[in-house]
Amino acid sequence: MIQVRRRSVWSAALVALVAATAGGVAWGLSGSPARSAAQAPTPVDYPGLPHTPVNVSEGGCGAGWSSGRTGLQVFDLRDSSTGNADVQLLEPSSGRVVGEVEGLAAGTSRPLLVRLAAGRYAFRCLLTDTDAVTGPAVPVSGPGSQSEGASGTPGVVPVTQQDLIPAAQAYQKWVAAQLPALLAQVTALQSDVAAGDLGRARADWLTAHLSYERLGAAYGAFGDADAAINAAGHDGTGFHRLEYGLWHGESAASLGAPAARLVQDVRALQRSWSAVQFDPQLLGVRAHEIVENTIEFELTGRTDEGSGSNLRTAQANLEGTAEVLALLRPLLASRLPLGPVDAALSAARAELRSLGGVPLSQVTRAQRELLNARFGALVEELAPVAAVCDERRTS
């Protein structure tokens, strides 16, 4: 895993999650741009659907909506306060959120598309520099109840930073426990190079590199250390510099300095890791991004500097993803059906095992297409994990 792309998971995840309007599990956010008061949303935004104007302010959160019917509908949210606001539509009895709009600017409007079952709902307005304000509970009648779930967008209890901290701490301890073995492995690699045993060095290179790749979710916290240890290309330092030399006939003498530098960088990482402030939000994001990066860099062979080990690296990446999911499972179990996620992960791992870790050049086109399909399906299933684990204000 290299060069983790830093982007808002929200934008990608919501494409998948707005499937909530068809019964999927997630918040029914709208991707429509904010509009000024003079450009308030109209039924043309979602033609044929019922629209309800709703006010967003400290003193009038949810004003304008007093009763409703079940089904797919649009709430036209207008921020009449003096600051930005996040707006959530929730079930007051459980705290589950069924719809959300983030970053609604003062004086602007935006539509919220959501499917409601029968029950009671309220808007929660989270305005800048003020406490959360929850509007009145509004009865919604018609076929299908909240308890049935199938007739409306299933609600999800928001994840807070406090919820994520235990998982992040457990992950940090897990990484710390892996680093001594990694240091021993790169030290063995350096010894092989120093002894001129490049055949053994190639074997030890692969062992060490796969160990590093299993730490996928930590790369954002590794920062510059990751760039030194695992940056793509053979013209820098780290694993890929050694890979190129070991598989392109360089002498042991020429590889001595890069091998020593790799040991130095891993040792420095081990010393500094306990002081790293690991962002709890990274876990949910990285479960998704590890697989995205595997598709972009490993399944295309872009990182191959001669070892032909991309498929084995992809397998290590999936092991890292499984570790992240194991730590997040207590949070996710009550918020997201994990069966499809587990099935997609198992299918991707099984496909890699069936190929036996051969170089990509030996994989047929049909095999590549099936492998890409397996990983594409896994990315789709992991997108809700990233979105659900995006921490939110609730007060």
Side-chain angles (χ1 to χ4, degrees), residues 277-349:
Q277 297 296 313
F278 190 79
D279 184 351
Q281 283 205 96
L282 287 177
L283 282 181
V285 172
R286 293 298 156 76
H288 184 266
E289 284 191 337
I290 290 171
V291 180
E292 279 194 322
N293 280 268
T294 302
I295 293 171
E296 181 174 354
F297 295 107
E298 305 306 333
L299 300 191
T300 62
R302 287 175 59 182
T303 57
D304 184 19
E305 295 294 343
S307 67
S309 60
N310 289 110
L311 294 186
R312 297 185 68 175
T313 299
Q315 190 71 266
N317 293 162
L318 292 187
E319 291 171 18
T321 298
E323 182 65 28
V324 173
L325 289 174
L327 293 171
L328 290 174
R329 192 169 294 271
L331 283 177
L332 295 171
S334 62
R335 293 175 167 89
L336 192 69
L338 292 174
V341 178
D342 293 336
L345 180 59
S346 295
R349 297 172 86 168

Side-chain angles (χ1 to χ4, degrees), residues 10 14 16-29 71-72 89-91 94-100 112-118 120-121 144-158 332-337 384 387-388 392:
W10 226 195
L14 289 183
L17 295 184
V18 171
T21 59
V25 177
W27 291 281
L29 276 73
L72 188 62
L89 179 60
L90 56 86
E91 302 168 2
S94 65
R96 292 193 294 262
V97 175
V98 298
E100 180 183 45
L112 169 64
L113 177 67
V114 66
R115 187 189 300 274
L116 297 183
R120 297 179 72 82
Y121 299 87
S145 68
Q146 286 174 319
S147 61
E148 292 171 347
S151 297
T153 301
V156 180
V157 176
L332 295 171
S334 62
R335 293 175 167 89
L336 192 69
V388 168
R392 288 168 172 75

Side-chain angles (χ1 to χ4, degrees), residues 19-44:
T21 59
V25 177
W27 291 281
L29 276 73
S30 166
S32 300
R35 300 166 183 257
S36 68
Q39 299 173 307
T42 67
V44 73

Side-chain angles (χ1 to χ4, degrees), residues 120-215:
R120 297 179 72 82
Y121 299 87
F123 280 99
R124 179 161 59 199
C125 301
L126 300 141
L127 294 113
T128 304
D129 299 326
T130 66
D131 293 336
V133 178
T134 301
V138 174
V140 171
S141 60
S145 68
Q146 286 174 319
S147 61
E148 292 171 347
S151 297
T153 301
V156 180
V157 176
V159 170
T160 67
Q161 186 179 56
Q162 292 301 312
D163 294 328
L164 290 167
I165 285 175
Q169 290 175 333
Y171 191 81
Q172 190 155 6
K173 291 178 181 177
W174 179 81
V175 171
Q178 312 309 306
L179 292 177
L182 176 63
L183 179 58
Q185 290 161 359
V186 296
T187 300
L189 170 59
Q190 182 191 20
S191 297
D192 298 336
V193 171
D197 189 346
L198 298 188
R200 188 177 182 86
R202 284 189 284 271
D204 284 343
W205 176 92
L206 182 59
T207 298
H209 187 241
L210 295 181
S211 292
Y212 187 81
E213 290 286 343
R214 293 185 185 96
L215 306 179

